[in-house]
């Protein structure tokens, strides 16, 4: 048996503590599976005295994570600090410079700096692995880089933020409004320190950008992603979607079009009988479509100590076994720089708006859609009062660009009481 793989763990929050717990609990199991003993040499965190529920006295301690990366008794650095800049990025750069491999759970850092970090690591003959950065315990990175490597990937989509899925499913099940459930999610500890990372779709957008890079062999391009959160979704939208046989999900979709890579993270309607439509609570799901394999559905816990630490350990064991893959599945220097495409793939859309209750109001709205080349599949008024009329319209397939043109024209009709809410209907 070869010499032990010695770890330096930076960050002892939920995930870091979970990794320590797995190594302490399953030392012999890990050794048998990796054919090499996996040991912790040293750790680093902001507070040395905090009780984390695991024994740390056997390990060296570094207040500075960069010093951890430079220790002679550390072979592999685990970056579990988080954040796109600052200590996390400094640690990874120091580890690469010191000739160390890196395992990270940091989707924000990789979404912003992944290309540069991957190039630096590969120039040194090192690897960066990040299974835990996307969808928690679901092995989706491994599925794309290994299991589906023989496929041309045509589309990647999924629900990759458990907090948003929790809020949307509770809205439907318990008829509670968004604001009440947002407060509840905060009290339960489901929200990031900056809640907009969750409900604004940014956290899930980071994850989608990483999957798109692997799936399509492109440089990570988070900046070109269309992102819309769930803040504008109402109980009316939930009810109307259900009446039409749909569920509303914060859905990430990445696919290559003739105009470039289309990446969007936004609320979508999906058939309620589909796997995504049946996804409840805080669970994540990723759907991958390949030319040979067809559609693959991966479902599981997207966050939490156990699932995320499990994903970290899958990367650690791979490195212990000697399995070495390029960060994004192929050499970083070979990744293509592609332009971001916006709204180029046609789809039906759901529109909800409130109109003034006066003759010809609905006809004016229909005319603006027609002028933009958009045909109406169905239309309904509901909840009518003396001054306004809520209206629901479902279009036939159209592009987002055409729909935006029509909505801009609606503002000049003089019949809108509220700005239209638009939700894409995604084929699954």
């Amino acid at each position: 048996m070869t010499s032990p793989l010695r770890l330096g763990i930076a960050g002892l929050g939920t995930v870091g503590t979970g990794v320590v717990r797995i190594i302490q609990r399953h030392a012999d199991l890990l050794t048998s599976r990796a054919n090499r003993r996996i040991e912790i040499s040293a750790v680093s965190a902001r507070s040395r005295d905090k009780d984390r529920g695991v024994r740390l006295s056997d390990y060296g301690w570094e207040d500075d994570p960069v010093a951890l990366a430079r220790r002679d008794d550390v072979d592999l650095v685990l970056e579990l600090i988080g954040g796109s800049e600052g200590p996390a990025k400094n640690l990874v750069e120091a580890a690469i410079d010191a000739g160390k491999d890196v395992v990270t759970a940091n989707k924000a850092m990789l979404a912003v700096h992944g290309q540069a970090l991957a190039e630096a690591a590969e120039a040194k003959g090192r690897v960066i692995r990040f299974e835990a950065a996307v969808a928690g315990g679901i092995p989706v990175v491994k599925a794309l880089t290994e299991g589906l490597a023989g496929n041309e990937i045509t589309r990647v989509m999924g629900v990759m933020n458990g907090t948003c899925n929790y809020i949307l499913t509770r809205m439907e099940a318990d008829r509670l409004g968004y604001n009440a459930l947002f407060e509840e999610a905060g009290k339960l500890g489901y929200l990031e320190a900056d809640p907009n990372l969750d409900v604004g779709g940014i956290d899930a957008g980071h994850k989608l950008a990483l999957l798109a890079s692997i799936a399509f062999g492109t440089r990570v391009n988070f900046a070109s992603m269309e992102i819309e959160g769930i803040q504008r979704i109402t109980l009316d939208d939930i009810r109307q979607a259900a009446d039409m046989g749909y569920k509303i999900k914060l859905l990430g979709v990445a696919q290559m079009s003739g105009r470039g890579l289309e990446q969007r993270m936004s609320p979508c309607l999906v058939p309620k009988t589909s796997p995504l439509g049946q996804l409840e609570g805080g669970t994540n799901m990723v759907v991958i479509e390949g030319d040979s394999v067809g559609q693959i559905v991966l479902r599981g816990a997207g966050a939490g100590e156990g699932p995320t630490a499990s994903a970290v350990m899958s990367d650690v064991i791979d490195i212990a076994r000697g399995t070495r893959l390029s960060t994004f599945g192929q050499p970083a220097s070979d990744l293509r720089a592609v332009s971001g495409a916006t709204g180029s793939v046609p789809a039906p859309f759901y529109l909800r708006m409130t109109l003034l209750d006066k003759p010809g109001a609905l006809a004016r709205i229909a005319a603006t859609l027609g002028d933009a080349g958009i045909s109406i599949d169905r239309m309904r008024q509901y909840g009518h009062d003396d001054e306004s009329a809520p209206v629901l319209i479902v279009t036939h397939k159209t592009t987002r660009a055409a729909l935006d043109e029509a909505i801009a024209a609606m503002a000049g009709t003089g019949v809108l009481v509220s700005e239209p809410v638009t939700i894409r209907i995604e084929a699954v």
Side-chain angles (χ1 to χ4, degrees):
M1 188 175 294
T2 58
S3 59
L5 179 66
R6 302 168 299 176
L7 311 183
I9 303 176
L12 293 172
T14 299
V15 179
T17 301
V19 170
V20 173
R21 189 168 283 116
I22 288 174
I23 292 171
Q24 291 180 347
R25 181 188 303 153
H26 296 310
D28 292 339
L29 178 65
L30 297 174
T31 299
S32 63
R33 288 180 174 172
N35 196 33
R36 184 180 183 183
R37 192 157 189 85
I38 296 171
E39 300 176 348
I40 301 171
S41 293
V43 296
S44 177
R46 282 183 294 185
S47 171
R48 188 189 294 245
D49 300 325
K50 181 179 178 180
D51 182 7
R52 297 174 172 87
V54 292
R55 187 184 71 259
L56 300 174
S57 57
D58 296 340
Y59 315 134
W61 181 278
E62 296 289 350
D63 293 318
D64 180 4
V66 169
L68 179 81
R70 293 173 176 159
R71 287 178 65 115
D72 292 336
D73 60 350
V74 168
D75 305 310
L76 173 62
V77 172
L78 276 56
E79 185 280 301
L80 306 175
I81 300 170
S84 61
E85 309 292 339
K89 181 169 175 282
N90 295 340
L91 168 67
V92 173
E93 290 173 336
I96 293 168
D97 187 61
K100 311 286 177 69
D101 295 325
V102 175
V103 170
T104 178
N106 194 333
K107 65 267 184 184
M109 178 185 67
L110 292 177
V112 177
H113 302 292
Q115 181 68 30
L117 292 173
E119 289 181 0
E122 290 168 22
K124 286 272 193 175
R126 300 293 95 195
V127 299
I128 300 174
R129 303 303 298 152
F130 60 92
E131 186 67 72
V134 182
I138 302 175
V140 62
V141 173
K142 187 178 287 288
L144 278 170
T145 55
E146 299 181 46
L148 301 177
N151 286 257
E152 180 180 355
I153 304 300
T154 55
R155 183 169 61 157
V156 176
M157 59 184 168
V159 171
M160 290 176 270
N161 184 278
T163 300
C164 289
N165 204 51
Y166 170 82
I167 290 173
L168 291 171
T169 54
R170 283 288 309 280
M171 285 176 73
E172 179 175 19
D174 299 328
R175 294 293 189 258
L176 294 172
Y178 168 82
N179 289 335
L181 287 168
F182 176 84
E183 291 182 9
E184 179 182 294
K187 291 176 182 177
L188 291 171
Y190 291 173
L191 293 171
E192 299 270 3
D194 176 2
N196 191 53
L197 292 174
D198 284 315
V199 298
I202 298 169
D203 168 82
H206 287 148
K207 299 170 187 176
L208 181 64
L210 301 179
L211 294 185
S213 177
I214 300 170
F216 302 108
T218 58
R219 296 186 174 209
V220 179
N221 191 1
F222 174 69
S224 72
M225 186 174 300
E226 299 173 70
I227 298 180
E228 179 187 349
I230 65 170
Q231 298 96 322
R232 296 180 66 196
I233 302 299
T234 69
L235 283 172
D236 280 342
D237 296 320
I238 298 285
R239 280 193 289 264
Q240 297 302 329
D243 287 346
M244 294 186 293
Y246 293 101
K247 297 287 186 75
I248 297 178
K249 301 293 181 183
L250 180 69
L251 187 66
V253 181
Q255 60 195 119
M256 195 66 71
S257 72
R259 293 171 53 195
L261 179 61
E262 184 162 327
Q263 303 174 99
R264 56 184 180 272
M265 181 62 63
S266 62
C268 289
L269 271 66
V270 298
K272 66 181 179 183
T273 56
S274 68
L276 285 164
Q278 297 177 56
L279 188 69
E280 301 291 329
T283 309
N284 281 198
M285 180 177 288
V286 180
V287 179
I288 305 169
E289 295 174 352
D291 64 341
S292 297
V293 76
Q295 187 179 88
I296 296 293
V297 178
L298 302 170
R299 176 185 181 276
E305 177 185 311
T308 311
S310 169
V312 170
M313 289 307 303
S314 74
D315 285 335
V316 171
I317 291 172
D318 267 356
I319 291 170
R321 288 169 173 166
T323 303
R324 308 187 67 78
L325 297 173
S326 300
T327 303
F328 296 104
Q330 64 186 73
S333 58
D334 292 348
L335 296 173
R336 294 176 294 134
V338 294
S339 58
T342 302
S344 60
V345 179
F349 283 84
Y350 160 106
L351 286 80
R352 174 176 57 82
M353 65 195 78
T354 302
L355 307 181
L356 292 174
D357 185 20
K358 65 181 188 180
L362 197 53
R364 293 187 194 181
I365 296 300
T368 62
L369 291 169
D371 290 343
I374 300 171
S375 61
I376 296 173
D377 179 35
R378 57 186 122 166
M379 182 186 302
R380 188 169 82 179
Q381 281 187 243
Y382 61 99
H384 184 277
D385 62 33
D386 292 337
E387 296 182 356
S388 62
V391 173
L392 170 66
I393 295 172
V394 175
T395 75
H396 287 288
K397 279 188 176 183
T398 185
T399 64
R400 181 72 212 202
L403 187 64
D404 288 343
E405 176 188 333
I407 290 172
M410 288 177 192
T413 62
V415 299
L416 282 180
V417 175
S418 62
E419 182 182 352
V421 171
T422 63
I423 307 177
R424 183 184 176 95
I425 301 175
E426 191 71 33
V428 177

